[in-house]
Amino acid sequence: MSDSYQRPLPILTDENRHFWQGGRDGHLLLLRCRDCRYWVHTPQPRCTNCLSEALTSEPVSGKAEVETFTINIKPWGKGMKVPYVIAVVALPEQPGLRVTTNIVDIDPEAVYIGMAVEVRFEQDEDVWLPMFAPVAN
Ligand SMILES: [Zn+2]
């Protein structure tokens, strides 16, 4: 039995596989409606704008802005490294298009609302978790 923390991983379905495995090819893939071109996240069977079922996955730029965040200081599992940042980031592709993620590669105390971040992927078994880090200058 290892002392390193094994985070709970998402259960892959036909509906969400693109999101969790797009990082294998370096892409953050979200669902997009083929009828009205609306981006749909989190994964669901219908377009939240026009109710069409014609959804397909497409890559977004991977750029985002920290909309809100919290710093978790409690180790919820044995070996879990704290503190870390849980954040909601806003994507520029569409107003209200948001992803819940972790902000990495920065001191948690240095994260601020409005910070420009970009995606990077952390592979864990068969998923590529989309994390966001400050944009390199
Ligand atoms: Zn639509």
Side-chain angles (χ1 to χ4, degrees):
M1 180 106 184
S2 163
D3 278 354
S4 67
Y5 178 68
Q6 176 58 55
R7 68 185 127 208
L9 293 172
I11 293 166
L12 299 180
T13 66
D14 288 345
E15 210 167 87
N16 70 20
R17 193 177 313 275
H18 63 281
F19 181 75
W20 296 116
Q21 294 191 321
R24 175 167 44 202
D25 303 314
H27 296 300
L28 180 59
L29 300 177
L30 300 187
L31 290 178
R32 194 171 196 190
C33 178
R34 284 197 297 266
D35 290 330
C36 75
R37 305 303 290 151
Y38 199 78
W39 294 97
V40 177
H41 186 72
T42 55
Q44 47 205 287
R46 286 172 179 273
C47 173
T48 48
N49 186 52
C50 75
L51 302 182
S52 166
E53 292 179 22
L55 299 180
T56 187
S57 62
E58 290 187 24
V60 290
S61 66
K63 306 284 187 192
E65 190 177 292
V66 175
E67 188 165 284
T68 189
F69 70 96
T70 189
I71 301 174
N72 179 66
I73 58 168
K74 187 168 171 64
W76 297 100
K78 193 178 180 184
M80 181 185 229
K81 289 194 178 70
V82 292
Y84 67 90
V85 177
I86 303 163
V88 174
V89 299
L91 309 188
E93 278 77 8
Q94 178 176 288
L97 186 63
R98 302 179 179 95
V99 173
T100 301
T101 183
N102 296 134
I103 306 298
V104 297
D105 295 347
I106 184 174
D107 176 356
E109 298 289 341
V111 175
Y112 59 91
I113 289 170
M115 171 178 267
V117 290
E118 60 192 357
V119 75
R120 65 194 50 194
F121 296 95
E122 215 169 280
Q123 184 186 356
D124 199 335
E125 298 181 7
D126 59 350
V127 304
W128 281 257
L129 298 153
M131 307 294 195
F132 283 76
V135 173
N137 287 317

